[in-house]
Amino acid sequence: MTDSPPTTKLPAQSPPVDPAETEAAGHATPTATAGPTGGLSWWHGDGGEGAKRNLALIGVLLALFAIGAATRSDLYSNPDWVWANMLSILKLASVVGVVTVGMTFVIIGGGIDLSVGAIVALAGVWCTTVATQSFGAGGMIFTAIIVGVAVGLVNGTLIAYGRLVPFIATLAMLVAARGLAAEISQKQTQISQNNTINGIASTDLLGIPLLVYILAAVVAAGWVLLNRTTFGRRTVAVGGNPEAARLAGINVKLHTLLLYALSGLCCGIAAIMLTAQATSAQAAMANLYELDAIAAVIIGGTLLSGGRGTIVGSLLGVIIFATITNLFAINGLSTEAQNMVKGGIIVAAVLIQQIQFGSLSQFFRRNRLTTS
């Protein structure tokens, strides 16, 4: 009689895991790590990096306020002027701030969008044509948003499915969108005749401009989308490691397409806001907005290589640049000096990223691999 071979008890298999849940667990772990005292040490984990950087940015804003108070004590000694000036800074930052929210998602997702300023111009020109204005404020808003999303979808299609480098695809769109805007407007300034649209820039609610409320709503929606939804977790995953995200079951191409569509949506909203401020639109509007948005995102702590970033940090970056512009204006300093200071801040922020994460080398390495 032959003894039967001993049976090996196999470990019970775990049930299938949703990739989105895996991503959520991976990004939620640092915030739940026990610290030396046994409590939640979110301040010392990866989740604390954003909080530390945001506090540092708030410190920069306070330093700028102190500089303003020291250089123009005659103005800063008046509380009413200080409050009005703060609202003016927020109003100045509102349009670029909305564009920056979309740019933040694109860069966290591992891309870049150089065409946002041109998309704002194209959407603004298209929504102020005589034919579009005949449909009223609703028709103008609908047109601006549809144009923004459509151009964003073209960018996303070229990048995700056409396998073009984001830098090249969006640079080409920058030129093409500006050219189309000039063709539609016949290189003329188009006046907005709609009082509802024009009133967006001049309306105050509880003493705060409506433009600031729009910025706050877009920022809040962007924060929720990035931090409390599967879409946000997948954005971080795609930007951190596209191949790992694909193996985890994420449709990387479709997600990339949606990221650029989201950027276009923000540009459409910004086009309405900018048109309301100027009561007109032209092909040259929103010039260099792409650089302002990218700079604000970098200052806010988003890595150029993708996979890490915060909406609040990007907002603080926009406000810092708006504050610098305001500070130079009230002191009568030249725009050239202002641009040099901004350039120095951008270089310093990128160098800090390079030292901490090596993000710049990763960014260029990824684009080099994409082209090969």
Side-chain angles (χ1 to χ4, degrees), residues 293-308:
I294 293 171
V297 171
I298 295 172
I299 293 298
T302 299
L303 297 187
L304 277 172
S305 57
R308 184 191 296 260

Side-chain angles (χ1 to χ4, degrees), residues 283-317:
M285 68 190 294
N287 188 35
L288 297 181
Y289 270 32
E290 55 277 355
L291 299 184
D292 290 340
I294 293 171
V297 171
I298 295 172
I299 293 298
T302 299
L303 297 187
L304 277 172
S305 57
R308 184 191 296 260
T310 65
I311 296 294
V312 174
S314 296
L315 174 64
L316 291 174

